[in-house]
Amino acid sequence: MPKALFRYLPILSWARVYTRDTATSDLVAAVIVTIMLIPQSLAYALLAGLPPEMGLYASILPLVAYAIFGTSRALAVGPVAVVSLMTATAIGQLGLSTPGDIALAAITLAFLSGVFLTLIGILKLGFLANFLSHPVIAGFITASGVLIAASQLKHILGIDAGGHTLVELGISIARHIEDTNPITLGIGVSATAFLFWVRKGLKPLLRKAGLGPRLADILAKAGPVAAVAVTTLAAWAFGLGEHGVRLVGAVPTGLPPLSAPSFDLSMWRTLLLPAVLISIIGFVESVSVAQTLAAKRRQRIDPDQELIGLGTSNIASALSGGFPVTGGFSRSVVNFDAGAETPAAGAYTAVGIAIATLLLTPLLFFLPQATLAATIIVAVLSLVDLSILKKTWEYSRVDFAAVSATIVLTLLVGVEVGVSAGVLLSIVLHLYKTSKPHVAEVGLVPGTQHFRNVLRHKVDTLPGVLTLRVDESLYFANARFLEDYVLGRVADCENLDHVVLMFPAVNEVDHSALETLEELNRRLAEQGITLHLTEVKGPVMDRLQRSHFLHDLSGRVFLSQYDAWCALKPGASEGAEKKGVAAQ
């Protein structure tokens, strides 16, 4: 088969070596993830402001699509908290009121996200996600976790409240706090406390009772299912719906319907930017999880193919009545810990969810919405990591400012502004940090051939020679800084004959930087100062050789800084003609 086919269809690689033992491991993992995913899918649909069945629909075909096109052996795709919140925010901008229109908007959003992810995957643009700094993403996810938890308090209290920011939610909840339903509050608080206890306390308790580690783990993961079952039974038995407890209500039975997105251009214009933001955040979260899990088994993933895997998953979600999906952290870790060997575990999970939509949905009629809200709150609070503020404050004030701005904007202005600010801040931070490259004057460590910063080590320097080590690639944003820095240092030195630029950390010299080096060479020559380069990397040297710079260079290119030291020290014979030395 052509290599390109294996490149775009990773299933062809692992399916050839699929065995009965592997299938057994995948089936066991699928059972555990299915148990976990059913209440999560319902809860995240509720968070997105959508009918609960759409959460189930978004957990069937997307898993199958990822099994075909994805490269991670353990990633579990489906609805996740942050993307669900962003979906609710995006649809809210449209001002829709009918359930059918809202569902169609969610389907369209998933389609747009899928097309965008697939296209940048085909074009191999996955590297663009590298411009998002981890602290900024951590800040956005932390703020989103707080916002999501706050948005679910209305379901815990049984009141009407709304808002897209923390302030709006707080004001709205305060205005309606008197309408709190005591029974709903009791269900919500009890379910939340139970789920928090299940996360930490149930598994050790089951192990003490003599259960094996695998069975204890399965039962602990089934905690949300137990909360759903008990509260649903209580609502049915005691007729809690008649006492003001809000229930999920009728959930359609059957497999996902074949759906199509809207092709209304005005809707596309409104949803395009949210779709791009959802795609970026979803991809970063998904790839981070996939790479972490792959590293534990000494496996690798292909980020560009992951874009295609996530893109086709979202397109599949749109075609089956779902909403935007991505790789979820909690369910992927569960999938990994449960022993999933291949993406087939996701396909088996899809079968389990499909069976649930066929047989179990009538049982969800009496499920209290407070229970689903408790499930969301417990899940998202694990995303909140305020320690990132302390870490960045101690390590980098610039990163701290970016994280703080992202958190504050997300909480006080909204999700889209927060994530947009995070993306912009990530790019600005990169440009800021590289626009002022570290440049150090270096000297020879006595008794060695090593050169170090004169401000940090006791070193020897040569009279009439200024040696500067450039610790960053040179491009349009920092080229002028280097020129000003060198000329400033030259102005401070007396009786200077040579300037040596060390390039051991320079991996790139773009055309703007080349012009700067040419200008620097000319201005130094006018002052009677010779410019030399040392330790130029091969790819950089190749480019310089394609220009006139080396021909016009007033000095030489040395293989190592020690060679330059020996050639330029007093008494050394430099020869009458200038010659270039091949770079490393």
Side-chain angles (χ1 to χ4, degrees):
M1 289 186 184
K3 284 187 176 181
L5 203 56
F6 283 90
R7 155 81 169 82
Y8 290 109
L9 293 173
I11 188 175
L12 298 177
S13 298
W14 58 261
R16 291 187 304 169
V17 294
Y18 202 68
T19 64
R20 181 177 297 179
D21 291 339
T22 305
T24 301
S25 298
D26 287 343
L27 281 168
V28 171
V31 169
I32 297 173
V33 174
T34 299
I35 292 171
M36 175 187 183
L37 198 52
I38 291 173
Q40 271 195 0
S41 299
L42 298 168
Y44 292 145
L46 178 70
L47 174 60
L50 301 170
E53 65 270 16
M54 289 187 71
L56 296 174
Y57 298 162
S59 302
I60 300 176
L61 279 190
L63 287 166
V64 177
Y66 186 82
I68 297 171
F69 295 99
T71 60
S72 171
R73 300 295 181 96
L75 192 71
V77 172
V80 300
V82 174
V83 169
S84 297
L85 175 64
M86 295 177 72
T87 298
T89 303
I91 296 174
Q93 296 177 359
L94 297 171
L96 304 174
S97 56
T98 62
D101 290 340
I102 292 173
L104 181 60
I107 290 169
T108 305
L109 189 62
F111 180 76
L112 291 174
S113 177
V115 170
F116 175 75
L117 286 166
T118 303
L119 283 177
I120 61 175
I122 292 173
L123 296 175
K124 298 184 178 181
L125 299 178
F127 69 89
L128 294 175
N130 296 334
F131 288 99
L132 293 172
S133 72
H134 179 266
V136 166
I137 292 299
F140 170 71
I141 291 176
T142 291
S144 297
V146 173
L147 206 56
I148 291 168
S151 72
Q152 296 307 298
L153 290 178
K154 63 182 180 181
H155 298 296
I156 298 292
L157 298 170
I159 61 176
D160 290 317
H164 298 295
T165 69
L166 194 61
V167 174
E168 291 175 355
L169 285 167
I171 293 173
S172 182
I173 290 172
R175 285 176 177 172
H176 296 88
I177 194 71
E178 294 179 355
D179 301 328
T180 299
N181 184 295
I183 301 176
T184 301
L185 179 61
I187 292 172
V189 171
S190 300
T192 304
F194 171 75
L195 291 174
F196 270 118
W197 174 77
V198 162
R199 279 187 164 234
K200 300 292 184 182
L202 183 56
K203 186 174 180 180
L205 187 64
L206 294 174
R207 293 287 289 126
K208 288 181 180 179
L211 273 66
R214 176 60 65 88
L215 181 58
D217 189 61
I218 293 174
L219 292 176
K221 297 295 188 299
V225 176
V228 166
V230 170
T231 55
T232 301
L233 185 61
W236 170 75
F238 298 104
L240 298 182
E242 300 174 1
H243 296 280
V245 176
R246 298 180 183 182
L247 308 176
V248 168
V251 178
T253 300
L255 294 175
L258 187 61
S259 307
S262 169
F263 290 96
D264 180 2
L265 292 181
S266 63
M267 180 180 287
W268 278 43
R269 282 194 295 268
T270 304
L271 295 180
L272 188 58
L273 178 59
V276 170
L277 296 176
I278 286 172
S279 300
I280 293 172
I281 293 300
F283 173 64
V284 171
E285 180 179 351
S286 180
V287 166
S288 298
V289 175
Q291 288 177 333
T292 300
L293 297 179
K296 291 183 177 181
R297 291 181 179 170
R298 297 187 178 181
Q299 297 169 347
R300 297 190 66 184
I301 66 165
D302 181 348
D304 291 320
Q305 184 61 30
E306 280 299 292
L307 284 165
I308 296 174
L310 292 175
T312 53
S313 295
N314 276 280
I315 293 173
S317 184
L319 297 178
S320 58
F323 58 99
V325 298
T326 192
F329 176 77
S330 59
R331 74 174 66 103
S332 296
V333 172
V334 170
N335 197 38
F336 179 87
D337 291 340
E341 297 285 345
T342 72
Y348 299 149
T349 300
V351 173
I353 301 294
I355 293 173
T357 63
L358 286 171
L359 303 178
L360 301 181
T361 50
L363 303 177
L364 300 173
F365 183 93
F366 290 97
L367 171 60
Q369 292 185 10
T371 303
L372 294 180
T375 302
I376 293 173
I377 290 172
V378 173
V380 300
L381 287 183
S382 65
L383 302 175
V384 176
D385 179 21
L386 295 176
S387 67
I388 191 68
L389 292 171
K390 181 176 182 293
K391 293 175 183 175
T392 53
W393 175 262
E394 294 175 346
Y395 188 76
S396 170
R397 300 298 167 85
V398 174
D399 284 337
F400 172 79
V403 171
S404 301
T406 303
I407 291 176
V408 170
L409 287 172
T410 301
L411 292 176
L412 300 184
V413 183
V415 173
E416 287 193 5
V417 173
V419 69
S420 300
V423 173
L424 183 62
L425 283 169
S426 295
I427 297 173
V428 170
L429 277 175
H430 171 74
L431 293 175
Y432 174 78
K433 291 176 181 178
T434 58
S435 66
K436 296 182 178 181
H438 181 258
V439 180
E441 181 180 353
V442 298
L444 180 66
V445 178
T448 73
Q449 296 183 11
H450 301 294
F451 290 79
R452 294 293 183 268
N453 193 329
V454 298
L455 300 178
R456 293 177 177 271
H457 302 272
K458 293 182 178 180
V459 294
D460 296 330
T461 58
L462 293 175
V465 178
L466 174 64
T467 301
L468 300 175
R469 189 188 67 221
V470 182
D471 294 334
E472 183 70 63
S473 291
L474 299 177
Y475 70 118
F476 65 92
N478 62 19
R480 182 61 182 271
F481 173 85
L482 177 66
E483 180 183 4
D484 292 342
Y485 182 89
V486 173
L487 293 177
R489 291 299 307 274
V490 168
D492 294 336
C493 298
E494 297 181 359
N495 302 319
L496 193 62
D497 299 314
H498 304 280
V499 170
V500 182
L501 295 182
M502 283 183 68
F503 277 13
V506 177
N507 299 314
E508 175 77 15
V509 175
D510 74 358
H511 195 268
S512 296
L514 173 64
E515 292 178 342
T516 297
L517 290 175
E518 291 173 340
E519 178 65 13
L520 182 62
N521 178 60
R522 185 187 66 79
R523 294 183 66 175
L524 291 176
E526 289 177 350
Q527 301 178 50
I529 300 172
T530 306
L531 177 65
H532 307 273
L533 303 182
T534 69
E535 302 187 12
V536 183
K537 291 186 174 181
V540 176
M541 190 66 174
D542 292 340
R543 284 196 173 187
L544 294 180
Q545 287 174 335
R546 293 198 293 268
S547 70
H548 292 286
F549 174 69
L550 296 180
H551 179 267
D552 298 333
L553 184 65
S554 59
R556 298 166 55 184
V557 179
F558 294 94
L559 182 65
S560 70
Q561 180 59 33
Y562 188 71
D563 289 341
W565 174 277
C566 294
L568 300 178
K569 67 182 179 182
S573 175
E574 299 184 32
E577 72 176 324
K578 176 183 68 175
K579 66 175 182 177
V581 181
Q584 299 184 75

